Amino acid sequence: MKRLQTLPNQLDAYFDELEIWLDLEGVAERERMMRRRMLRSLKDAERTGEALLNLQIHEHQTGLAGRILIDFVKGARHEFPANRLKVGSPVVITDQNLEADRGISGVVSAKRKDLIQIAVEHWPEGDRFRIDLSPDESTRRRQLAAMAKAKMAKGRAKQLRDSIIGVRDLRRQSENNDDIIFKTQLNASQKDAVAFALASPDVAIIHGPPGTGKTTTLAELIFQAVKDGQRVLACAPSNTAVDNLLEKLIPFPIDVVRVGHPARVFSELRNYTLDEIVERDPSTKIILEMRREVQHLVRDAQKISRGKDWRRRKREYFTEAGLLRGQIKSLEKSIVRNVLQSANVICTTTTIDDDLIGSDEFDMVVVDEACQATIPGTWQAILRAEKLVFAGDHQQLPPTVLSKEAISRGMQRSILEDLIEREGNSVFRRLTIQYRMNEQIVDFPNRYFYDSELVSDPGVSNHLLTDNPHITVDHLTNRPLLFIDTAGADFSEEKEVEGESKFNAKEANFVVQLIDQLRDAGVIGEQIAVIAPYSAQVRRLRDQLGNREIEVDTVDGFQGREKDVVILTMVRSNLEQEIGFLADLRRTNVAVTRARKKLIVIGDSATLSSNPFYSELFEYFENQTSYSSIWEHLS
């Protein structure tokens, strides 16, 4: 990958390169959306999983902060096809019968099998609607603004900027404080990481391999900083990662506020969102009355569908409702500032809402899952810090980037990865005790990715499915590993008619067979996950499995998760020995380290062994007497 220039007189070149990345990625996102919009038929548009069509408004209500929550359904409450729209996803709602409709933006706030709720600021017009996943342009605008500010930075922001890009040496840590009274029961490597981060004057990295309790360690670090009188900004590139950190922080005696669209926050954590705290403020009684008026105006507007100038009158009602919502926001602003100023810790994504946070700076800024944040996506957080702590694992998934050219120029690298490569051991501490996987599951990735430094906690090192007395002891349950080789069985990959994704029909059928056998042995569906590297295989398996409570997702979708049983379907099987993005070994590292007690890998060794990593992986399975041919399993 192209390395960024870091000499002092090339500061402009550094940020110019980041802007090129954002431009390339913006083009790629718009092109993808245009391709989706061109698939006008119900069948083809919904096949991508990124759109829902032929929707009607079922119900609506006024939600948090005066937003409109609209429930959409298909006809007589038909179930939706498999799709990628999740709670928190940005979407565009358009009139399906009006191709020129530019639509309105919204966020998925709730979802069921036959209903999807979208939070919007404005009412959509039309009878039949289409909902598409949408790129979030506001994110790119905020990143560009932060980079422009970084170029002109002064004082502490300038010092950190120069240290990050390599034109100023990082100051070394002072002596670790051995007198820390820890609130959480941590192991030695976790305690060392907390002490190291507290003592580092500029930047510290906590390297958290799979299952090592990185989030628990970060929560303790944040508590210790608050106890010392510091104010902390805790952020991550995804809402899920922010909520995972918030969940760990809640038990501590600190004032924590979650900033972000409430629809993007886990429902059980919404009491800690800025919107909910503002709702509970005694000064909101007037606001509640104004919200009721907004509801009445919207409801009355919906009833207007005939008579003289009915369109004008309808529009006036909606306009008045919009003005009232504006007044609500103005009244809330003073309450919001009071809430934020009194918080010890603010949790948000790295796409920071500058309108809410203002120009606030923080004694410590923590960026969790920092390897999933692009370099442009991290500067908003950097500019607010007196000290930075990055946490993550550069041997797991990189940031999601659509543009192949942007990837080739380096956009999938993270600041964490660059710092470790440049500074070495002096800038990070690795967590070394893992609490997730049977030792045989973790052993290969441990040797390949983590210098054999990971040690399994005794509580998990030998755990098996058969520890549960309700599970039958058989060839699927009595060992932690199983590789099933499909070579020579004509389990060939295929390409979707529409799109670029690949699937393997025979492999998918065999996965279903394995799941049935596991369930017959007493393994419940909630304990099983199927991971596939291609979304087409995920869609196929979801259709075949139906409502069996089996989680099926891509590697990206399962990052940060775990299950007792993980079945990894590799999909690729071809005479050319092409493995596509399976060549990014970090993806496979993520997939195999999701399993706690049983890992089953299904793949074609003849195709995959063209890559030395997979050749070594299959040899490891053989050494563990966990290799088998598909012919041993076909009846």
Side-chain angles (χ1 to χ4, degrees), residues 398-418:
T400 300
V401 179
L402 295 178
S403 168
K404 291 181 180 179
E405 185 178 350
I407 291 173
S408 70
R409 298 180 75 113
M411 193 173 182
Q412 278 197 319
R413 290 183 68 87
S414 65
I415 286 178
L416 182 151
E417 188 174 1
D418 278 347

Side-chain angles (χ1 to χ4, degrees), residues 60-70 120-123 286-302 314 316-329 331-332:
H60 79 273
Q61 57 186 296
T62 300
L64 302 174
R67 300 178 181 93
I68 309 169
L69 304 179
I70 305 176
V120 296
E121 300 290 339
H122 309 286
W123 187 266
I286 297 173
I287 293 174
L288 291 174
E289 288 298 322
M290 295 173 72
R291 285 182 184 165
R292 293 189 189 99
E293 181 63 22
V294 168
Q295 276 189 299
H296 290 314
L297 287 166
V298 171
R299 189 173 291 114
D300 290 345
Q302 282 186 289
K314 190 180 188 102
E316 286 175 351
Y317 274 70
F318 282 130
T319 299
E320 188 174 349
L323 290 172
L324 271 175
R325 282 198 295 271
Q327 292 175 23
I328 290 171
K329 289 181 180 179
L331 289 172
E332 287 175 333

Side-chain angles (χ1 to χ4, degrees), residues 478-499:
N478 66 349
R479 297 182 64 82
L481 291 173
L482 179 62
F483 171 60
I484 302 174
D485 190 353
T486 65
D490 193 30
F491 276 36
S492 299
E493 68 186 56
E494 301 174 63
K495 185 178 174 181
E496 278 187 320
V497 177
E498 297 289 342

Side-chain angles (χ1 to χ4, degrees), residues 493 502 572-580 607-608 610:
E493 68 186 56
K502 292 177 173 61
R572 299 310 298 263
S573 178
N574 56 74
L575 295 175
E576 296 76 22
Q577 294 186 307
E578 293 179 355
I579 65 172
T607 297
L608 298 170
S610 61

Side-chain angles (χ1 to χ4, degrees), residues 547-607:
N547 300 320
R548 301 197 204 183
E549 298 180 335
I550 311 293
E551 278 198 72
V552 184
D553 215 330
T554 60
V555 181
D556 301 66
F558 221 80
Q559 170 91 335
R561 307 283 308 289
E562 61 182 61
K563 287 284 185 177
D564 281 354
V565 182
V566 168
I567 301 174
L568 173 58
T569 163
M570 303 296 279
V571 177
R572 299 310 298 263
S573 178
N574 56 74
L575 295 175
E576 296 76 22
Q577 294 186 307
E578 293 179 355
I579 65 172
F581 56 66
L582 286 179
D584 185 346
L585 306 182
R586 293 171 294 185
R587 310 184 73 81
T588 303
N589 183 35
V590 170
V592 300
T593 55
R594 302 307 97 196
R596 298 183 67 248
K597 299 179 179 180
K598 182 75 178 187
L599 170 66
I600 302 174
V601 180
I602 307 167
D604 179 358
S605 65
T607 297

Side-chain angles (χ1 to χ4, degrees), residues 259-298:
V259 172
H261 199 303
R264 293 173 171 164
V265 179
F266 293 160
S267 57
E268 60 270 27
L269 300 177
R270 287 183 182 169
N271 280 340
Y272 297 90
T273 63
L274 177 63
D275 295 72
E276 286 276 9
I277 295 171
V278 169
E279 290 278 350
R280 295 195 297 268
D281 190 279
S283 303
T284 59
K285 289 184 179 179
I286 297 173
I287 293 174
L288 291 174
E289 288 298 322
M290 295 173 72
R291 285 182 184 165
R292 293 189 189 99
E293 181 63 22
V294 168
Q295 276 189 299
H296 290 314
L297 287 166
V298 171

